[in-house]
Amino acid sequence: MDTIVKKTYPALKMHCAGCATNIEKTVKRLEGVKDASVNFASGLLSITYESGKLTPEEIRKAVVTAGYDLIIEEDSQRERHAEEQQKRYRQLKRKVTGTGILAFPVLALSMWFPHIPYANEMMLVLASVVLIFFGSLFYVNAWKQARLGRSNMDTLITLSTSIAFLFSVFNTFFPDFWQERGIEPHVYYEAVVVIIAFVLTGKLLEERAKGNTSSAIQRLIGLQPKTARIQRNGTEIDIPIGQLQTNDLVIVRPGEQIPVDGQLVTGESYVDESMISGEPIPVSKKKGDRVLAGTINRKGAFVINATQVGSETVLARIIRMVQEAQGSKAPVQRIVDKVTGIFVPVVLGIALLTFTVWIAVGGMEYFFHGMLSAVSVLVIACPCALGLATPTALMVGIGKAANHHILIKDALALEQMRKVNAVVLDKTGTLTEGHPVVVEYSQKDGQDTLFKSILLAAEMRSEHPLAEAIVNFLQEEQLSPVSPDGFESITGKGIKVSYASRIYWVGSRKLANDFRADIPDTLSEPLSGGNSIVYFGRENELLAVITVADKIKPTSAEAITQLKRQGIDIYMLTGDGERTASAVAEQLGIERYIAEALPDDKQAFIRKLQSQGKVVAMVGDGINDSQALASADVSIAPGRGTDIAMDVAMVTLMTSDLLLLPKAFKLSNQTVRLIHRNLFWAFIYNLIGIPIAAGMLFPVNGMLLNPMLASAAMAFSSVSVVLSSLSLGKKKL
C-alpha cells in the first residue's frame, strides 16, 4: 500500500488569484494526488499524495509546464523562498521605477503637446519600450496560459493594453482611414503606459504588504539559530544547523539560543522558554532535564544530547502547523475559488458585449467610446482582490494567534470557533493545576520537628496519590526522614509506622477514629469542601491536620467570566466526586457541572448538547478526554509547550493560562468578520466598477471612465484588501 504524504512547497511566478487556481487545477489532475490547495497570499502549495504513484519532481514538472515553478528541495526551502520573494520585489521595484520615468514624457506629450510634429511617433517609441522591457512579463504569462486553454489576470492586462496599443499604432500611420469617414482619430499610448505603471505599482505594494502578513512565521523561524557548536572526536566545531544529527553533543553557552531539542548531559542553567511555552520566568535546568530548540540559555553553560533535530523539534512542528493552517482554506474560500475560476472568461465576455452594444446602439461614430469602454472593463476587473480577501486575513489571524501562544490547526477550526455557544471544560489540569499540593498544615504550637520527619518517612513509603504532595511540602522545609522500625499499609484508610517504640499513623478520619484520637475544634477540617483532609497522629493523640487540594489555576475564574461575557454557556465535567466538583464549580461561578463522569459519559454529554442545537467546544488534555474531544465541534487542548497535543486538537493553548481561551474565541470572531468584510468590498468593487467602466453612466451624465483611472482603481483594490487584513494585527485581544 502506498504511503500518503502531506507536503508544502513554495510556488513561484504567481501574479494573481487565477494563477493559484491554475496551479491547483494542474496538480489535482496528477495521478495519486488526494488533495491540493494553493494559498496565493503565502505562495504555498499544500499537497497530499500517494508517494508510490508520484514524486516531488513529477509534481514540479507539471507546474513548470503550466508556466510556474516549485521549490521542492527541503533543505533551506524557506531561505530559497525568501530569496525568490526578495528577488521578485527588487525586479518589480526596478520595473515600477523605469515605467514611471517613461510615463511622465508620454503623459506630457499626450496632455500638453499633442499637436507638435511627430508627437504620436515619440509616444509610440516610449510606449514600445515600456511594453517590451517592463510589461513583457504580462504578455509571456498570458501566452503560456492561452496555450493551455486557460486565462488569468495577465490575460486581461495583455488584451487591454494590446488593443489600445495596436489601435493607436494603426491611427498613427493610417489616420486617413478615419478622417475619410468624418471621424477624428485618437491615440491611447498614455493609457497603455499608465495601465502598466499602475498595475506594476499595485503589484509592488501588494508584494510588500503580503510580506507583512507572514511576519508571525518569520518571527518563529527567527528563533532557530543558523549554526550549532558540537563536540566531535574531542574537539569543538561549529556546523550549520541542517547538519546536526541525533545524539550529537551540543555545547550551549550563556545567552545563546538552543539549536535542538535534547537532554542536559553536563552543566546546569536557567532557560528562558517564554517564546515556546509563554511562561515568563526562566526555568531551572539540571542534568537529565529536557530543553527545546529556540529557547534561550540565560546563565550557565551546558552540554546537551540532541534527541530531536531539524523538522522533528517542537519549534519546527509549531512552524509547520502554523504554515499549514495559514495555507488551509476556509469554507467560504471554496465559493470564491469557483468565482475566480470563471471570472476572467466572464469579464472577456462582458468586454466584448460592451463593445458590441456601443456600436449597435451608437453606430460607428461611437467606435472609440466602445473600444475605450471595453478596455476599461478589461482593466478594472480584478480577480486579485477576491483571491486575496480570505487568505491574507487567515494568515494575519492565525499568525496573530501563534504570537499569543494559540495554535489553530486550520481555517475550518477558526471559522467554526466563532459559532461556539457552549464550552465544556474538563476540571483536572484545565481549571485546576492537575496535581495535589498541601494548602494548609495545622498543628499544635511548639510541636517538635521530629514529628514532621517521622511523617516524611511514612509518606515516602506510601503509594497513595496524596502522599507525594505531603512529601514535597515537607522536603521544602529541608527536613530529613527518620528510619522507622516498621511500616504497614491499611487498605482504604492510610498507613502506620513504628518509631522509638511508638505507633504513628497517617490517613483518613476513619483511621483517626480507629485510634480513638480526639479531634479538637481548633484542629477540625480547616477548609470547606473540595479538599482532601489527611490526619496525622501518635497512638490516640492527634498531631496535625493536613489539607491537600488540587489548586484552581489563578486565571480560571477570570477566563470563565470573560467567556460568559461573550455569551457562551459554561459546563464542567469531572471524574471527581460530587463534593469536590461542587466546591470547584462554586468557586469558579459555574452553574452546570457533572461529577463522577467517565469518558463515555463525557462523550454522551457533548452529543446531548449538540442535539439541543448547541455548537460545542470541548477543552481537555487530549488523553482521557479523547472521546469527548473527537465528538465536539471544536476540540481545544491546553498544554505547556512541550507535550502539547497538537495532533489531537483543532486548537492548542501552548500555556496553562486559561485566559487564552476567551482570546481565541475573540480572535476567531475578528478574523471571520474581516474575511466577510474583505469579500464584501471585493465583490462590490467589481459589481460597481465593471458596469461604470462599460459606460453605464454615459447616457445619464456623459461620464466615460478613462482606462488610466480604471487601472488605478484596480491596483488600489488589491492593495486595500491586504492593508485591511493587516489592520487585524493591530487590534487588541
Side-chain angles (χ1 to χ4, degrees), residues 87-293:
K87 183 180 173 184
R88 173 169 161 75
Y89 182 78
R90 286 194 297 269
Q91 285 177 342
L92 279 170
K93 202 170 182 180
R94 284 196 297 269
K95 288 182 177 182
V96 167
T97 304
T99 308
I101 291 170
L102 293 176
F104 180 76
V106 174
L107 283 170
L109 286 168
S110 171
M111 296 170 66
W112 298 309
F113 310 106
H115 303 298
I116 66 171
Y118 304 106
N120 287 354
E121 286 78 2
M122 284 189 281
M123 287 191 285
L124 167 60
V125 172
L126 292 170
S128 299
V129 172
V130 169
L131 291 181
I132 294 167
F133 292 101
F134 305 121
S136 58
L137 196 63
F138 298 119
Y139 301 94
V140 172
N141 290 331
W143 173 245
K144 286 179 181 177
Q145 296 308 310
R147 287 173 60 191
L148 296 168
R150 296 175 185 165
S151 56
N152 60 8
M153 183 185 151
D154 294 327
T155 309
L156 300 178
I157 302 301
T158 298
L159 281 174
S160 59
T161 53
S162 297
I163 290 168
F165 181 76
L166 293 174
F167 186 71
S168 298
V169 171
F170 179 85
N171 289 354
T172 299
F173 295 107
F174 305 104
D176 295 344
F177 178 85
W178 299 105
Q179 289 168 350
E180 288 170 1
R181 290 161 176 76
I183 300 172
E184 181 65 28
H186 298 282
V187 293
Y188 302 101
Y189 295 117
E190 79 285 358
V192 174
V193 173
V194 171
I195 287 171
I196 297 291
F198 273 132
V199 173
L200 287 173
T201 303
K203 288 291 167 194
L204 180 71
L205 295 173
E206 185 184 303
E207 201 71 24
R208 185 172 179 177
K210 277 198 301 180
N212 292 334
T213 64
S214 60
S215 59
I217 279 288
Q218 298 306 322
R219 273 195 289 271
L220 287 171
I221 293 170
L223 295 176
Q224 297 176 311
K226 303 293 184 211
T227 60
R229 186 179 296 106
I230 63 168
Q231 285 181 354
R232 274 189 189 164
N233 303 320
T235 59
E236 293 184 12
I237 55 172
D238 288 341
I239 62 169
I241 199 81
Q243 294 179 16
L244 275 173
Q245 299 173 2
T246 306
N247 294 323
D248 272 340
L249 294 175
V250 183
I251 301 164
V252 184
R253 293 174 180 169
E256 291 183 341
Q257 283 181 313
I258 298 171
V260 290
D261 291 0
Q263 282 187 317
L264 259 72
V265 177
T266 60
E268 57 182 60
S269 181
Y270 283 86
V271 174
D272 180 0
E273 296 184 339
S274 60
M275 61 292 297
I276 302 291
S277 68
E279 303 294 343
I281 302 171
V283 181
S284 174
K285 299 290 181 181
K286 297 176 182 176
K287 183 179 178 179
D289 288 343
R290 187 185 183 198
V291 291
L292 301 175

Side-chain angles (χ1 to χ4, degrees), residues 466-722:
L466 299 183
E468 184 181 355
I470 296 173
V471 168
N472 291 337
F473 172 75
L474 294 172
Q475 284 180 337
E476 285 178 3
E477 297 187 16
Q478 306 296 319
L479 295 170
S480 299
V482 300
S483 298
D485 301 324
F487 172 86
E488 183 185 345
S489 176
I490 305 166
T491 305
K493 294 183 179 179
I495 57 172
K496 65 178 181 179
V497 296
S498 57
Y499 179 75
S501 301
R502 304 290 294 268
I503 301 296
Y504 295 84
W505 49 267
V506 190
S508 65
R509 181 75 176 252
K510 288 181 181 178
L511 187 61
N513 291 337
D514 288 348
F515 278 94
R516 302 183 187 282
D518 182 28
I519 305 176
D521 293 338
T522 54
L523 290 180
S524 61
E525 299 189 7
L527 293 179
S528 60
N531 303 311
S532 300
I533 308 300
V534 179
Y535 298 90
F536 169 49
R538 180 178 61 186
E539 295 166 355
N540 65 346
E541 180 187 3
L542 182 66
L543 298 174
V545 177
I546 306 154
T547 306
V548 182
D550 184 3
K551 290 176 70 175
I552 292 172
K553 291 177 183 176
T555 57
S556 293
E558 178 59 25
I560 299 298
T561 303
Q562 290 188 19
L563 288 171
K564 286 181 176 179
R565 281 200 207 112
Q566 292 179 16
I568 297 172
D569 295 333
I570 309 297
Y571 303 84
M572 185 184 78
L573 302 181
T574 178
D576 291 346
E578 171 66 28
R579 187 171 68 102
T580 301
S582 173
V584 172
E586 185 180 348
Q587 287 181 62
L588 294 174
I590 299 174
E591 294 83 17
R592 289 156 288 202
Y593 66 90
I594 294 181
E596 299 177 5
L598 299 172
D600 286 345
D601 299 328
K602 293 180 180 181
Q603 184 181 38
F605 183 73
I606 298 284
R607 288 178 174 167
K608 180 184 173 184
L609 290 176
Q610 289 169 330
S611 68
Q612 296 170 4
K614 293 188 179 295
V615 180
V616 183
M618 172 70 194
V619 188
D621 60 16
I623 302 167
N624 60 346
D625 300 309
S626 56
Q627 288 174 252
L629 285 166
S631 299
D633 299 291
V634 177
S635 52
I636 302 172
R640 291 182 182 273
T642 55
D643 54 355
I644 43 183
M646 289 190 229
D647 299 325
V648 177
M650 296 163 76
V651 180
T652 304
L653 310 179
M654 291 173 63
T655 80
S656 56
D657 184 0
L658 208 60
L659 281 173
L660 292 181
L661 192 57
K663 283 183 180 179
F665 286 117
K666 188 174 180 182
L667 183 61
S668 167
N669 276 306
Q670 288 178 350
T671 307
V672 175
R673 275 201 305 269
L674 176 63
I675 289 171
H676 292 166
R677 188 174 75 222
N678 281 355
L679 286 174
F680 172 79
W681 286 114
F683 274 110
I684 286 294
Y685 163 79
N686 283 289
L687 286 173
I688 294 174
I690 291 174
I692 291 174
M696 185 180 70
L697 297 178
F698 187 79
V700 180
N701 57 12
M703 176 185 168
L704 201 62
L705 189 65
N706 190 300
M708 292 187 286
L709 291 176
S711 64
M714 186 270 285
F716 175 74
S717 68
S718 297
V719 176
S720 62
V721 163
V722 180

Side-chain angles (χ1 to χ4, degrees), residues 142 208 269 337 348 352 388 428 487 564:
R208 185 172 179 177
S269 181
D337 286 346
L348 291 174
L352 186 61
L388 287 166
T428 306
F487 172 86
K564 286 181 176 179

